[in-house]
Amino acid sequence: MSGPDLLVLATVATLAGSGIYLLLERSLTRIVLGVVLIGNGANLFILLSGGVTGRPPIRGLFGSEGISDPLPQVMILTAIVITLALTAFLLSLAHRAMRLTGDDEVRDDEEDRRVIARVERELARHRVREEVERMRRIHAEEGFRAGLRARLGLRGTVRRERRELRRRMREEWERQMAADDPEGGMDTTMGEDSP
């Protein structure tokens, strides 16, 4: 590879890296810019993969020697059209989000958060069931006193699980309230649990 090819390859890497970084942001405007940068990086990469540049790929004007490969140029034209369509779609989404919510930030899906909370509750119940089964085994195998100690330990485990689950639910509720009220006009604290 020659020096200019390495420079183009470094440009491709920079465009792709910057585009991926911008795609990971929460602002739709930055996501649109990331798509544009990745599209331009892909176009340069296709151009670089076309090999040595030559004369225009028009049959009949020149001999068959020295003509560049037309396939990368056709692929670049197709990629430009696809990138333009995707950019237009994302700009319309950003415009719609700006009109509806006042900002173009992508919010978390609340239903996904509810599903995650439901799964966490089920996991906590499963852990408690396992502890109950362990306590019953200890009671059956080692006797009443060992079963009583295991029952007290189980009670502490259940309390810890409930406290942790309530803490996570409170944090999630406060996060949702803060997201719904960006000016901070309402009280978003839920209060402390009773012991």
Side-chain angles (χ1 to χ4, degrees):
M1 248 189 193
S2 64
D5 289 341
L6 288 175
L7 181 64
V8 172
L9 191 60
T11 305
V12 167
T14 303
L15 286 173
S18 301
I20 289 172
Y21 176 76
L22 288 173
L23 273 178
L24 297 176
E25 294 291 323
R26 297 186 70 82
S27 170
L28 280 174
T29 306
R30 291 182 180 173
I31 291 173
V32 169
L33 290 174
V35 166
V36 169
L37 287 178
I38 288 176
N40 289 334
N43 292 341
L44 276 178
F45 182 72
I46 293 171
L47 184 66
L48 185 64
S49 69
V52 180
T53 57
R55 295 187 175 139
I58 302 173
R59 190 172 267 237
L61 288 180
F62 306 102
S64 61
E65 65 278 341
I67 294 179
S68 62
D69 186 16
L71 185 62
Q73 296 173 15
V74 171
M75 290 177 67
I76 288 172
L77 284 174
T78 305
I80 288 171
V81 171
I82 291 170
T83 303
L84 179 66
L86 186 60
T87 303
F89 175 70
L90 289 174
L91 282 173
S92 68
L93 283 179
H95 177 70
R96 181 76 175 156
M98 181 67 87
R99 292 196 63 189
L100 288 177
T101 63
D103 62 353
D104 67 341
E105 185 175 321
V106 177
R107 291 187 179 184
D108 292 334
D109 187 20
E110 296 305 321
E111 185 61 30
D112 286 344
R113 292 197 171 274
R114 286 187 201 108
V115 168
I116 290 170
R118 203 174 315 134
V119 168
E120 286 179 351
R121 282 193 302 265
E122 287 300 318
L123 288 174
R125 286 182 187 136
H126 182 69
R127 285 192 296 268
V128 168
R129 280 189 213 118
E130 287 177 351
E131 286 294 320
V132 166
E133 288 301 317
R134 188 179 69 81
M135 185 238 354
R136 287 182 181 157
R137 270 195 316 271
I138 289 173
H139 181 72
E141 293 171 1
E142 299 178 17
F144 178 75
R145 288 183 187 245
L148 186 60
R149 283 193 301 271
R151 187 175 296 130
L152 291 175
L154 172 67
R155 201 174 284 161
T157 302
V158 169
R159 284 183 183 150
R160 280 192 302 275
E161 289 284 341
R162 284 184 182 159
R163 198 175 310 126
E164 180 65 23
L165 190 60
R166 275 192 227 122
R167 183 189 61 78
R168 277 192 250 135
M169 300 282 276
R170 183 182 325 110
E171 287 174 358
E172 178 63 24
W173 185 82
E174 289 173 356
R175 188 204 61 77
Q176 287 175 0
M177 293 302 293
D180 290 340
D181 183 33
E183 290 92 29
M186 69 172 96
D187 182 25
T188 59
T189 59
M190 207 170 156
E192 295 298 320
D193 290 336
S194 58

